[in-house]
Each structure stands twice: as C-alpha cells, then as structure tokens.
Amino acid sequence: MFAREIRDPISALAGVKAGSVVEKALAHVGVATIGSLLCRYPRDWEDRTRRAPLKDFRNGRVCSIVRILAHDWFYAGKTRTLKIFVEDDTARACLVCYNRPFIKNQLVVGNDYLIYGDFEFKYGEIQSSSFDFEPADTGAGRIAPGQILPGQILPGQILPGQILTGQILPIYPLTKDLRMAKARGLVKQALDAYLSVIEDEIPQSIRERYHLLTKARALKAIHFPESMKELEKAKKTIIYEELFYLEVMVGKRALAKRSVMRRTPVDTDSCMTRQKTPDLQNALLDRLPFELTEGQREAVADINKDMDSPYPMARLLQGDVGSGKTLVAFLAALKAVEKGGQAAIMAPTELLARQHAENAAKLLEPLGVNVAFLTGNIKSKGRKQLLQNLASGAIDVAIGTHALFSHDVYYRDLRLVVIDEQHRFGVMQRQAILAKGDAPDLLMMSATPIPRTLAITVFGDLDVSVIKGLPPGRQPIVTHLARESNEGKVYEFVRAQLKAGAQAYFVYPLIEEGELDLKDAVSMEERLATEVFPEYTIALAHSKMDEGEKRLTMDAFRRGGIRILVATSVVEVGVDVPNATCMVIEHAERFGLSALHQLRGRVGRGTAQSYCFLVYSDKYTEDAKARLMVMLEHSDGFVIAEEDLKLRGPGQISGVEQSGYIRLGLADPVEHAAILEKARADAFAMLEADPGLLASDHRRVAEVLSRAPPFNDVGV
Ligand code: ADP
Ligand code: MG
C-alpha cells in the first residue's frame, strides 16, 4: 500500500470521534485520511536532545536544567501575571507565565527542572514566555528518554510520564482546535498502526544509488527522528521523491509533446451533433461592444496555434492587472469547445471564480455553451447533478476554485485547463487539475512575472505571451499618498466622486479590531456608515464572512446598489467593477507591493478617471516608505515587480518565494535545485528508455501513478 492509499478516516484513530472538532480542523487543512495525515510534514523540529545553557540563549533555544529561585507577580494590563526567577550554571533568567498562573504550583522554589524554550533579552534580563518544563530528578517509573507518549505533551503542564526533552519533537502547523499535543499524538498512532504496510514509491535502483531511506523509514523519521542525522536523510528522501514525481509529470508532458500522435484526433462528428456554431470565437467577438486590443489579439492567435497543434499547449499569459486576460481565457475555452472538448477555468478565490462564472454565463451561454460553477461550498443534490453533467460532457466550461480537481470530479474530455492568478496555486494543484484530462492544453495567467529559468524546470517547456498595454480609453490611475491625519480630506474627495455617481473601495489590513493599534474593516464600516457617509449605502466584504452573504454584497456592489465596499485584501485579486473609481487603502504601510498594485488595479477599469489613496500612519518603517514611493512613481506591474525584488533583496524571488509557484510538500525547486536536477535527469531518462514503465524496476512508478497519483487530492 502506498501512503496516500491509506484512506481510513482520521476518526479511525483513538481519541478522534467522527464529526469531532479535531476531525473538522484537520479536514479544513485538507487532511481527511490517515494517509494525508502522514504526508503532512512538520514545519520544523525541536532538537531537545542537546543541552543549551541559558547564557547561550542567543544561539537558539535553551535546553537546560535550572533551579527555581523565586516567584513574583506583576500586572500585564489588568491581569496579574506570574514571573519566575531561575538560574542554571551559566546565567540567571526569568520565565513570564502569561495566562498560566497555575505554573506557580508546578515550578516549586528550590527544586530543579529541565527547561526548554525561546529566550530573549528584554527589560534588562533574559526572559522567556514560551517554554516547556519537567522535573529534573528522573524518579523511578519514568519512561526512558526518547519514548513518546501520544497526546500527553501539553505545554506548561506536567503529566505523569511526560517527556519533553531528550528527543527531537516535530512541530506541526496548527489550526484553531488542533493542539500540538494532539497533532503529535495522532501522527504517532498512525505511524504505529500503518508503517508496516507502506510501500516504496521510487525505483529501488534509484533509492540505492542515492542511499535514500525506504518510504516507511523516511515517514517515521520525518515525524519522529532519532537523530538530526536521520532527519536529514528522511528529508533528502522525501524531497527527492517529490521532485522525482514532479519531473515524471513534467517529463510525460514534454515527451507527449514530442510524439505526434499523442492526442486522440478531434471527433468532428460529435461536434456536429452538438449543433454548436462552429466558429464560437468569432461569434463571441461579434457580440462584444469593443474590439480586442492588439495584445489580446496576439495572445489569442498564439493560443489558437497551440491548440490546433497536436501537442499539448503549455503557455503562460502575462498581462498587467486590467489588461483583459479573462476574455482571452474565454476565447481559449471556446476553442476547446469548438473541438468538442471541455474547458476548466480555475481561480484562487471563490469570489473571483464566481465573477468569472457570471461573466461566462453572460458571454458564453448565448452562444449555446453550457457553463457551470463549482466550488467546495456547493453541496449535495445540486453538486451531484453538476458532477454528472461534467462527466457526461453536458457541461462545456467548468469554472471554479480548487474544487475543480476534487477526487470525485470527472470530465468527459477535458481539453483545456486555464489557471487564473496562477502564482496563487502550487505545483501540486496545477498537476492535480491537469491529471483530470489526457494531456490537456494548459493556459496559465498571471500579472506577476516568473523567472524563465525557473519556469522551465518546473513546467518543462513553457511558452509565454505578453499582453502589452491596456484596453483603449483607460486613463492612468492618479495615486496620492496621505497621512492618516489627513484622512478627512481623502473622505471629502471620495464624497465628490460618489456624488458624481461613482463607487469606492476602502481597504483595511485587519478584519476586526485586534491587539495592534490599527484600523479594521468591521469598525471602519460602522464609522464610515454612521459618521462619514451616512447618505450612501455601504457594505462589508472579508474572508470570514459567509460565502452567500459575501456573494450578495458583491452582486449589489457590481450592480451599483452598494456604493462603498469596505474590505480586506479579499478584493485584491481579480474583482472587476468598472464603475468604481476610488480605492482608499488605509494603513497602506502594512501592505506588500504586489498587494498594493493588485488593489490599485481594482479601479481604472472603465473609462472614467480613477484615484488611489494610500493612507499611511506615522508608524511606518523605511521599507514601507520605499514601497509607497514605488507605488507613487510607477504604474507598470512589471516594473513594480522588479522594484519589489530590489527591495526584498536577493534570495527572495518576487512572486515565487511567497507565492505558490513552487509549493510542494517539503521540496522547494529553488532551494533544492541540485536535487531537482538529478530527479529531472532520472525521471526523463526513465521515461525515454521505458515510456510504458514496463521494466520491473519502473513498474512501481506506474503503480504509483495509477493507484495513488501524487498530485491528486491536494488540499489547500
Ligand atoms: P485582468 O487582466 O486584470 O484579469 P480583466 O480580464 O478583469 O483584466 O479585464 C478588465 C476589464 O477590461 C474588464 O471589465 C473587461 O471587460 C474589460 N476589457 C477586456 N478587454 C477589453 C477590450 N479589448 N476593450 C475594452 N475593455 C476590455
Ligand atoms: Mg484577472
């Protein structure tokens, strides 16, 4: 059995009831099965095997035996907080126990404890507020070091037999309702129960060549390594495996491109029986109230040529925000439909997917093309019918979020995959949607440029079209910087625009009031509605809102019923409301350059003059100031991306590092370029020598691809 084939639900583990909050918390991060639990790797490890005295606190975490000197209390705000003074052989320090007054009874003055934690120099002393501990005197009946008791490791709480030191502990990304102790305990249980049945996924000859671990051993060691050395080996094994399969997929596309008779010839009969207008693209162009721009026309010509060729297309369409990429995607989709196939258009957010679906309904359905909208939120009966229609081919164009590649979604003949805002998706998600068709054409769209060298390694072979320029009649957006204290003037300016019939966005860095002294969307909506713009309709849009409610709000904003939209960066990608002419970004100093550029791109989408106000508070950093200046001076997204790169410095490739271009489980094609190269060479050599994967050593690869394709069912 391959790890991903372990489809038993998480609730099969002790301590997780079906329907419990833990099960839901895991499902929320895409972990529904024990197999996916095992493949959700720690984000870090804590080496508690080596002692690190207090005086060395700057070198990393402290792991030392300390004596408790005294307890003290102080007030942090209104709460009485415990402070404990400790010392080891090298230094004195203090432990600050926020919200943990009970520690008073656990750390007894005069006794010795093993402390593990992050320390820093603050208020003239070495301090930690994040630490674990246990009694230092290892009494009888204690469990041997290294032994792990599932579910018993609770920070700051001593339980019988609890072991917090003397071993390397995994640190998992947590979510609300999923505590570290629980995460560790569940993985440990899963390993104990399933390790013996887990099969290797890479050919034995390769494993031996690089001295990699078996899959079972690598999984055990990635979660609970016995030594840092073993952990390194496990990482190397898993990274190689991920990159190997990535390159197997890339290689299959590249080879398919070379073999002419790859694709089943177009079935012209079925085209006829569908009784569609044969030239759907021109039918759409005829209906548009405007002409394509030069850039759009060229892009469509490139795409048509690719899609008419017998080789699968792999094309990246770059064009600044507002350049009209969506329309190009629709024309490509029509091409796929003309050929009797289906197209899937994937967007990173439900908001954007819905907007595309609505536009498609308006533009494509009158041509007799059936469009469907699919997201994770569409449940039960409607969904079942929709999936049937996709499988039967009754739906021509499916538009949605990552739900488009859920395991239960089948396409009759997926010919084209369009990935909008492509930098928001990871490699695995892209591979997962491609796996739904037989080497479908791929069109990726983005306003964020990607370095070509990286593109080629990750995508195999990639062509690029660039839409230069914006549709005619667009005026450059006028950008103003404004101090927070001048916000009143900004509001008055916006009022004049509203009076003239336009609409406005107000964007904030936070949804709700938080600890930081920042304006937030919820309170500002209230304030703008009651104090500033009582005469206009105002609504709120943010990611924590119910999707249905958000949809109604966006619909009303698009139709003009709502004049002011108060939002967080949910409106950052793709939202298209041409009547909106004002974008007010408050605390602009808190946003990154690409977000600012995307946000500004929400206005200036019609022919009216548009404005962007970057309102900043006095507490900005030098970096923030530099970003705001770039926004003031430049409007071209490509230039802004370059400036972004300069500001961030080398090592942080803009639009790559922070984005999803290269997100795999553990591997990072940039950081692990050397392994990637080997994996690529190995995968390509194998495919060239044995395309059918028939050799005994390769059959394992064929089995993995058919039984547990590595890029299917990718959670987000
Ligand atoms: P982006 O490239 O940022 O995804 P969109 O596809 O959202 O841009 O297009 C921005 C706006 O420009 C939309 O309202 C769209 O209808 C309009 N548009 C697209 N192409 C043209 C064109 N050739 N002439 C005029 N308006 C256009
Ligand atoms: Mg777009």
Side-chain angles (χ1 to χ4, degrees):
M1 198 181 233
F2 300 119
R4 279 180 309 279
E5 279 186 293
I6 307 172
R7 303 228 160 83
D8 297 340
I10 301 294
S11 54
L13 297 170
V16 186
K17 288 200 196 76
S20 64
V21 285
V22 170
E23 193 187 54
K24 285 187 192 136
L26 282 165
H28 191 70
V29 291
V31 176
T33 65
I34 290 179
S36 51
L37 180 73
L38 290 175
C39 297
R40 185 171 180 258
Y41 307 123
R43 67 171 163 78
D44 202 357
W45 294 261
E46 286 180 1
D47 184 359
R48 300 186 177 193
T49 57
R50 241 174 303 164
R51 291 292 158 85
L54 281 172
K55 83 166 169 36
D56 290 343
F57 70 95
R58 281 184 216 276
N59 298 335
R61 294 192 176 96
V62 165
C63 181
S64 183
I65 291 184
V66 300
R67 173 152 303 170
I68 307 300
L69 301 176
H71 291 169
D72 192 11
W73 296 88
F74 71 102
Y75 278 88
K78 284 192 191 105
T79 23
R80 210 164 78 108
T81 296
L82 174 65
K83 196 169 161 178
I84 299 175
F85 294 94
V86 302
E87 73 175 358
D88 70 1
D89 297 340
T90 65
R92 281 192 177 190
C94 83
L95 308 171
V96 184
C97 314
Y98 292 111
N99 303 318
R100 300 199 281 177
F102 50 84
I103 293 182
K104 174 172 73 97
N105 303 324
Q106 299 176 339
L107 288 177
V108 178
V109 174
N111 286 1
D112 291 348
Y113 299 85
L114 245 163
I115 296 278
Y116 182 90
D118 288 318
F119 283 73
E120 59 183 338
F121 197 76
K122 218 173 157 183
Y123 308 121
E125 53 196 4
I126 304 173
Q127 283 203 351
S128 175
S129 54
S130 155
F131 54 90
D132 280 337
F133 56 86
E134 64 187 299
D137 57 318
T138 49
R142 248 192 77 145
I143 284 103
Q147 188 169 341
I148 295 141
L149 299 183
Q152 298 206 344
I153 304 164
L154 293 170
Q157 219 173 307
I158 299 180
L159 293 170
Q162 177 188 3
I163 303 292
L164 296 171
T165 58
Q167 60 172 317
I168 300 167
L169 287 178
I171 303 179
Y172 296 102
L174 298 180
T175 60
K176 192 174 148 276
D177 296 329
L178 181 66
R179 307 220 299 176
M180 191 63 76
K182 194 78 187 177
R184 286 174 181 155
L186 292 178
V187 173
K188 181 67 174 50
Q189 255 194 72
L191 286 170
D192 286 346
Y194 292 88
L195 221 47
S196 57
V197 300
I198 291 177
E199 282 176 67
D200 274 349
E201 296 184 26
I202 44 183
Q204 196 181 341
S205 59
I206 291 181
R207 181 159 61 76
E208 286 168 359
R209 184 174 339 141
Y210 299 122
H211 307 287
L212 303 175
L213 302 178
T214 60
K215 182 67 183 255
R217 218 164 130 223
L219 277 178
K220 156 84 180 41
I222 202 79
H223 291 289
F224 293 101
E226 269 157 29
S227 65
M228 291 313 269
K229 209 171 142 213
E230 194 195 37
L231 174 60
E232 284 316 308
K233 273 198 143 178
K235 281 191 198 166
K236 188 175 145 194
T237 301
I238 290 171
I239 288 168
Y240 179 88
E241 186 188 290
E242 285 177 3
L243 294 173
F244 177 76
Y245 274 95
L246 172 66
E247 291 302 321
V248 167
M249 306 293 272
V250 166
K252 282 182 73 141
R253 276 185 77 81
L255 289 184
K257 206 163 175 173
R258 262 187 250 162
S259 63
V260 180
M261 281 310 292
R262 169 205 63 95
R263 207 188 266 168
T264 18
V266 177
D267 179 356
T268 31
D269 280 353
S270 87
C271 266
M272 301 308 285
T273 52
R274 294 158 82 88
Q275 294 190 330
K276 297 264 157 69
T277 327
D279 192 350
L280 290 168
Q281 284 191 334
N282 276 321
L284 173 60
L285 293 176
D286 286 345
R287 290 176 49 90
L288 289 177
F290 48 71
E291 300 274 298
L292 290 189
T293 64
E294 181 74 25
Q296 285 173 318
R297 250 200 312 272
E298 281 168 17
V300 173
D302 289 345
I303 289 165
N304 281 344
K305 202 162 127 249
D306 287 355
M307 291 182 71
D308 279 333
S309 100
Y311 317 115
M313 167 171 76
R315 186 167 287 279
L316 177 64
L317 176 61
Q318 298 197 327
D320 209 346
V321 282
S323 59
K325 295 185 288 293
T326 316
L327 189 54
V328 175
F330 288 170
L331 288 163
L334 290 179
K335 183 81 181 173
V337 178
E338 277 173 17
K339 289 172 166 293
Q342 293 168 298
I345 302 179
M346 183 159 79
T349 65
E350 180 151 345
L351 204 67
L352 186 52
R354 189 182 299 277
Q355 176 180 290
H356 286 342
E358 283 164 7
N359 283 334
K362 254 189 287 172
L363 294 172
L364 308 186
E365 281 184 346
L367 311 176
V369 172
N370 290 325
V371 178
F373 173 57
L374 185 65
T375 73
N377 282 330
I378 297 170
K379 291 269 136 62
S380 63
K381 244 171 92 187
R383 181 182 161 90
K384 208 170 146 202
Q385 183 61 49
L386 207 155
L387 295 187
Q388 271 173 15
N389 291 345
L390 268 180
S392 73
I395 289 170
D396 304 303
V397 179
I399 299 181
T401 56
H402 57 275
L404 288 172
F405 59 79
S406 301
H407 62 95
D408 56 347
V409 176
Y410 297 94
Y411 297 81
R412 178 172 162 271
D413 183 10
L414 182 62
R415 291 280 174 116
L416 171 72
V417 169
V418 179
I419 304 181
D420 191 18
E421 303 292 345
Q422 111 87 18
H423 57 286
R424 296 248 163 170
F425 291 95
V427 167
M428 309 224 274
Q429 294 166 317
R430 177 171 43 251
Q431 295 296 358
I433 179 81
L434 286 175
K436 296 287 180 184
D438 172 22
D441 288 314
L442 170 64
L443 177 66
M444 296 179 284
M445 309 199 294
S446 174
T448 316
I450 174 175
R452 174 142 187 95
T453 42
L454 183 63
I456 290 172
T457 2
V458 179
F459 303 118
D461 216 351
L462 188 77
D463 299 306
V464 180
S465 298
V466 179
I467 304 183
K468 294 200 194 79
L470 299 175
R474 299 280 177 82
Q475 305 180 46
I477 300 159
V478 173
T479 302
H480 291 291
L481 296 187
R483 271 181 193 277
E484 198 174 359
S485 50
N486 284 334
E487 58 179 24
K489 286 188 192 157
V490 173
Y491 298 165
E492 284 320 304
F493 188 96
V494 173
R495 190 190 312 282
Q497 288 285 307
L498 291 165
K499 233 181 220 158
Q503 290 167 274
Y505 296 97
F506 281 78
V507 176
Y508 297 90
L510 297 178
I511 297 178
E512 289 161 312
E513 205 171 332
E515 281 167 31
L516 301 165
D517 187 18
L518 294 176
K519 290 182 181 173
D520 61 277
V522 170
S523 333
M524 280 306 290
E525 192 237 1
E526 173 84 26
R527 194 181 135 203
L528 293 173
T530 55
E531 293 171 25
V532 188
F533 300 112
E535 68 272 40
Y536 293 110
T537 43
I538 299 194
L540 193 62
H542 59 70
S543 57
K544 279 199 197 151
M545 263 166 73
D546 172 69
E547 283 296 338
E549 202 183 331
K550 197 154 68 188
R551 183 181 72 213
L552 290 177
T553 301
M554 290 311 295
D555 284 349
F557 187 64
R558 198 165 304 142
R559 287 193 314 265
I562 287 170
R563 303 290 299 283
I564 302 174
L565 187 69
V566 179
T568 56
S569 50
V570 286
V571 297
E572 179 188 314
V573 284
V575 174
D576 184 41
V577 181
N579 190 47
T581 61
C582 291
M583 167 59 69
V584 181
I585 305 172
E586 300 215 45
H587 291 296
E589 77 279 0
R590 309 281 306 183
F591 292 84
L593 260 181
S594 75
L596 289 173
H597 179 63
Q598 282 278 354
L599 285 168
R600 182 167 61 184
R602 294 315 108 212
V603 295
R605 302 190 142 242
T607 47
Q609 176 65 56
S610 291
Y611 304 88
C612 174
F613 295 94
L614 304 173
V615 183
Y616 60 95
S617 85
D618 290 336
K619 285 176 243 151
Y620 58 81
T621 60
E622 281 304 306
D623 273 7
K625 192 169 152 193
R627 286 198 296 270
L628 296 180
M629 291 315 290
V630 170
M631 288 300 291
L632 198 58
E633 285 162 15
H634 300 284
S635 58
D636 182 324
F638 285 70
V639 177
I640 290 176
E642 259 167 43
E643 293 293 323
D644 197 20
L645 181 57
K646 278 190 218 152
L647 288 177
R648 288 160 180 271
Q652 288 234 1
I653 304 169
S654 160
V656 172
E657 191 107 317
Q658 10 87 280
S659 72
Y661 272 125
I662 48 175
R663 207 182 313 127
L664 288 156
L666 212 53
D668 173 340
V670 174
E671 189 185 337
H672 308 120
I675 303 180
L676 176 70
E677 239 162 73
K678 285 194 190 120
R680 183 178 173 84
D682 296 338
F684 276 59
M686 175 187 77
L687 288 169
E688 264 165 44
D690 180 19
L693 300 175
L694 303 170
S696 65
D697 202 26
H698 298 155
R699 223 170 288 150
R700 186 185 300 283
V701 176
E703 288 287 311
V704 169
L705 292 178
S706 76
R707 274 158 49 196
F711 303 106
N712 251 346
D713 274 345
V714 182
V716 262

